[in-house]
């Protein structure tokens, strides 16, 4: 998708489809408070073209509600599409992101390859969203996110992706900043889609080795440092927890390392991004029920998230160093697989010391095992601030639904930065508790810890397991199990892999850049 920026009057844009935002400006409450759909443009010709349908009451400007007008009078566009934001007083940047996605997803199945979106004038928006650059960036992100469909394996696939998306600015103000916002939005949206394209791949097409190759190819394209290590390196580093997950599969594991080292940044923090890259999770000997087991191809979503976040950092070039560790393996049952009751030894932070021992009670709690060694390795490589992403527990979806993802942190300052990032990316995370009372639940009688903590508070005991390896290093854990896969298509996003957390992690990282 090409993203263009136009400063021409929107009524004179020759385009297949001109999308204009609308919102409900009714502020009265009660039964007589009929919706008051209002266009968020000051263009008189577009206003005139839509006046009749707005007066009819047929269109209420609800969130992502659309209405199409063909051959609008006095407007150069072939079609005029109204896209709703819902109540204007409550509109956020996320509404704009979704509206752009909705416009793109409206155009795609109709065979339109090109469209334009009129950005609202700053004055037409409530104060919270009146930031021109934020609105511009969100619109471009939303268009990219809307353009993605997971249909590459269909023989009857017609590539309906959008060739050109034009953002039409309401006026010439802040021109340079708006241009930068368009470029940033494209990097972020495309990076999120890159994660989705990896997550979409089935287990047979994307083994740990192939995930390593895809990461390396991307790294070469954007200029990241990279290394992909195999089983021998795991043995050398004494990554006994990670290796124990891989040992049941004929597919070798891959330890993927990506490095972002901006020129002239020799000190300050080193961010450690750690991702769970289980390319298929059968559960191992503690095998999962067959219903929905196919979905466990997306158990590498956390790893894909980190690979994609590093891509965005390489292109946006914030002045902060980052290193990503993706622990990729397949969790399979076999004669060589680890068994419940086995004891494994994790990688020690200090090579001269012994590693922590783990009693394996359930081989399906494998994500925390690979992440344990991933977190330790990131620390050994000098990471000062850790963030991990993983489809770690079904329990997080029980706790928060498939609406909000879980976040855990041992450090308020770092989490504060993450919360700030969420405000601009529109992603929904909720901070969950940690604490000794939870940590007690994973104490083992025969080893240092055990890999499950029982039925209750499953997402929290999993987080406490990771905490044992993050120790005092500032650390954020994102459990994205409930959000990494979207079950039903929405107006602004296709079902399938969501790419959740990519933009928020990038935004969090940018917050550490020199001067921030
Ligand atoms: N990959 C799963 C978690 C998961 C479940 C992700 C559903 C996405 C959707 C993870 O490896 C797992 O199996 N967790 C177990 C942990 C339990 C054995 C302690 C779970 O959640 O049941
Ligand atoms: Mn599992
Ligand atoms: Zn898993």
């Amino acid at each position: 998708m090409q993203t263009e920026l136009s400063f021409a009057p929107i009524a004179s844009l020759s385009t297949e489809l001109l999308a204009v935002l609308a919102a409900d400006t009714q502020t009265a409450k009660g039964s007589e408070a009929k919706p008051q759909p209002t266009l968020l443009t000051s263009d008189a010709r577009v206003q005139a073209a839509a006046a009749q349908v707005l007066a009819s009451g047929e269109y209420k400007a609800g969130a992502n509600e659309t209405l199409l007008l063909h051959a609008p009078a006095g407007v150069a566009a072939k079609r005029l599409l109204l896209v709703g934001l819902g109540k204007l007083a409550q509109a956020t940047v996320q509404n704009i992101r979704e509206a752009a996605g909705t416009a793109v997803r409206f155009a795609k199945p109709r065979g339109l390859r090109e469209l334009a979106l009129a950005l609202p004038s700053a004055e037409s928006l409530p104060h919270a969203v009146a930031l021109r650059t934020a609105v511009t960036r969100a619109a471009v992100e939303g268009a990219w996110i809307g353009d993605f469909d997971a249909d590459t394996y269909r023989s009857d696939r017609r590539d309906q992706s959008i060739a050109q998306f034009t953002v039409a600015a309401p006026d010439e103000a802040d021109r340079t900043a708006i241009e930068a916002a368009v470029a940033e939005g494209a990097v972020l949206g495309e990076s999120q889609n890159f994660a989705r394209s990896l997550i979409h791949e089935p287990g047979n097409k994307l083994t740990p080795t192939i995930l390593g190759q895809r990461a390396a190819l991307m790294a070469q394209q954007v200029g990241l440092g990279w290394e992909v290590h195999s089983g021998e390196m795991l043995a050398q580093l004494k990554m006994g927890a990670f290796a124990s997950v891989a040992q049941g599969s004929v597919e070798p594991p891959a330890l993927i390392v990506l490095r972002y080292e901006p020129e002239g940044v020799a000190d300050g923090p080193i961010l450690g991004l750690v991702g769970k890259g289980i390319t298929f999770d059968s559960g191992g000997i503690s095998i999962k029920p067959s219903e929905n087991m196919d979905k466990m191809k997306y158990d590498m979503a956390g790893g894909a998230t980190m690979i994609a976040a590093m891509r965005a950092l390489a292109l946006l070039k914030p002045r902060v160093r980052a290193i990503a560790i993706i622990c990729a393996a397949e969790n399979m049952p076999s004669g060589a697989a680890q068994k419940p009751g086995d004891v494994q030894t994790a990688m020690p932070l200090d090579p001269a010391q012994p590693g922590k021992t783990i009693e394996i009670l359930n081989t399906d709690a494998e994500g925390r095992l690979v992440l344990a060694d991933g977190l330790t390795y990131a620390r050994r490589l000098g990471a000062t601030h850790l963030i991990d992403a993983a489809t770690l527990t079904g329990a997080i979806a029980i706790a928060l639904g498939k609406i909000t993802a879980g976040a855990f942190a041992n450090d308020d300052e770092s989490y504060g930065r993450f919360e700030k990032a969420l405000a601009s990316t529109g992603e929904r995370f909720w901070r969950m508790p940690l604490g000794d009372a939870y940590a007690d639940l994973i104490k083992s009688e025969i080893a240092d810890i055990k890999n499950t903590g029982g039925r209750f508070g499953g997402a929290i005991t999993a987080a406490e397991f990771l905490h044992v390896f993050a120790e005092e290093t500032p650390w954020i854990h994102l459990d994205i199990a409930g959000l990494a896969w979207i079950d039903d298509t929405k107006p602004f996003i296709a079902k399938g892999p969501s790419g959740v957390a990519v933009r928020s992690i990038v935004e969090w990282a940018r917050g550490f850049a020199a001067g921030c």
Side-chain angles (χ1 to χ4, degrees):
M1 191 172 86
Q2 280 285 115
T3 327
E4 303 283 333
L5 178 59
S6 163
F7 292 94
I10 56 172
S12 51
L13 278 179
S14 348
T15 169
E16 287 290 332
L17 183 140
L18 172 65
V20 176
L21 302 176
D24 178 5
T25 51
Q26 177 62 263
T27 48
K29 293 192 179 84
S31 54
E32 71 273 37
K34 274 197 275 161
Q36 225 166 66
T38 309
L39 292 192
L40 302 186
T41 176
S42 51
D43 189 293
R45 285 182 288 169
V46 171
Q47 287 282 1
Q52 210 173 339
V53 71
L54 287 184
S56 76
E58 286 164 39
Y59 178 71
K60 300 182 172 55
N64 299 304
E65 183 187 346
T66 51
L67 184 118
L68 181 70
L69 295 172
H70 272 264
V75 174
K78 288 195 194 148
R79 301 167 187 80
L80 183 63
L81 180 71
L82 310 189
V83 186
L85 299 181
K87 289 248 181 242
L88 183 63
Q90 278 126 52
T92 62
V93 173
Q94 177 61 14
N95 288 109
I96 309 245
R97 195 177 279 110
E98 290 182 8
T102 298
V104 163
R105 294 198 66 72
F106 189 95
K108 282 188 81 175
R110 289 168 174 81
L112 308 179
R113 304 289 309 277
E114 173 273 319
L115 73 153
L117 173 76
L119 292 178
S121 58
E123 306 75 58
S124 65
L125 293 170
H127 185 68
V129 290
L131 267 164
R132 289 165 182 281
T133 52
V135 164
T136 308
R137 200 182 97 175
V140 176
E141 288 169 4
W144 274 95
I145 293 164
D147 195 34
F148 181 92
D149 274 292
D151 57 358
T152 46
Y153 286 114
R154 292 185 60 126
S155 318
D156 63 354
R157 173 178 193 252
R158 287 188 299 139
D159 185 1
Q160 292 177 316
S161 36
I162 298 297
Q164 190 184 314
F165 178 75
T166 303
V167 206
D171 51 55
E172 295 260 0
D174 304 328
R175 191 175 176 131
T176 323
I178 299 289
E179 279 165 2
V182 169
E184 269 180 27
V187 166
L188 288 159
E190 196 174 8
S191 295
Q192 180 166 342
N193 287 355
F194 179 61
R196 295 163 84 191
S197 70
L198 293 172
I199 298 163
H200 165 62
E201 294 289 346
N204 65 325
K205 303 274 186 199
L206 191 98
T207 60
T209 307
I210 296 172
L211 182 62
Q213 289 167 358
R214 298 277 291 263
L217 183 67
M218 179 281 290
Q220 285 157 19
Q221 285 166 351
V222 302
L224 287 169
W226 64 274
E227 296 147 38
V228 180
H229 303 289
S230 192
E232 300 93 76
M233 182 70 163
L234 270 61
Q236 245 178 57
L237 291 168
K238 301 207 181 104
M239 290 183 156
F242 182 1
S244 78
V245 175
Q247 75 185 46
S249 173
V250 294
E251 289 296 339
L255 171 63
I256 305 166
V257 183
L258 300 173
R259 293 172 196 270
Y260 170 62
E261 286 161 343
E263 248 175 76
V265 183
D267 49 17
I270 300 179
L271 309 180
L273 282 54
V274 182
K276 169 178 176 182
I278 300 298
T279 57
F280 185 72
D281 180 13
S282 71
I285 295 297
S286 314
I287 197 160
K288 289 183 180 291
S290 47
E291 195 175 307
N292 288 329
M293 200 203 269
D294 57 292
K295 286 279 155 38
M296 282 301 109
K297 66 176 183 178
Y298 79 77
D299 213 17
M300 34 60 71
T305 298
M306 294 317 189
I307 296 171
M310 290 298 279
R311 176 189 187 275
L313 291 179
L315 295 171
L316 296 174
K317 303 194 185 348
R319 293 179 54 74
V320 61
R321 292 173 291 173
I323 168 164
I325 309 291
I326 294 92
C327 301
E330 200 180 58
N331 188 23
M332 295 290 277
S334 80
Q338 72 174 331
K339 305 166 289 295
D342 285 0
V343 174
Q344 308 292 359
T345 306
M347 177 185 177
L349 181 60
D350 175 352
Q353 296 292 315
K356 296 186 171 96
T357 55
I358 304 163
E359 183 185 12
I360 305 298
L361 289 184
N362 189 321
T363 66
D364 198 11
E366 85 297 342
R368 63 199 74 181
L369 297 174
V370 304
L371 289 174
D373 286 342
L375 290 164
T376 301
Y377 191 42
R379 292 175 74 201
R380 209 189 271 178
L381 294 177
T384 58
H385 295 76
L386 298 165
I387 190 162
D388 77 67
T391 47
L392 201 64
T393 67
I396 197 66
I398 303 298
L400 298 172
K402 294 187 141 209
I403 310 286
T404 305
F408 301 79
N410 64 353
D411 181 76
D412 291 343
E413 210 232 77
S414 185
Y415 192 76
R417 291 177 182 276
F418 187 72
E419 229 173 8
K420 222 168 128 192
L422 294 179
S424 76
T425 62
E427 295 194 310
R428 295 178 71 151
F429 281 81
W430 188 258
R431 188 172 179 182
M432 301 279 289
L434 290 168
D436 290 345
Y438 294 105
D440 285 346
L441 300 174
I442 52 166
K443 283 189 175 148
S444 164
E445 307 243 312
I446 63 150
D448 296 337
I449 46 171
K450 54 190 182 186
N451 81 330
T452 61
R455 231 160 71 76
F456 299 106
I460 309 174
T461 49
E464 278 298 352
F465 185 96
L466 302 180
H467 193 183
V468 168
F469 298 91
E471 295 185 310
E472 305 296 310
T473 305
W475 154 78
I476 299 174
H477 158 56
L478 306 177
D479 193 340
I480 56 171
L483 266 72
W485 195 265
I486 301 171
D487 293 326
D488 303 298
T489 291
K490 296 178 194 164
F492 51 93
I493 193 166
K495 64 178 170 186
S498 68
V500 68
V502 173
R503 287 181 295 108
S504 297
I505 292 166
V506 173
E507 212 51 43
W508 170 81
R510 293 173 90 198
F512 283 91
C516 289

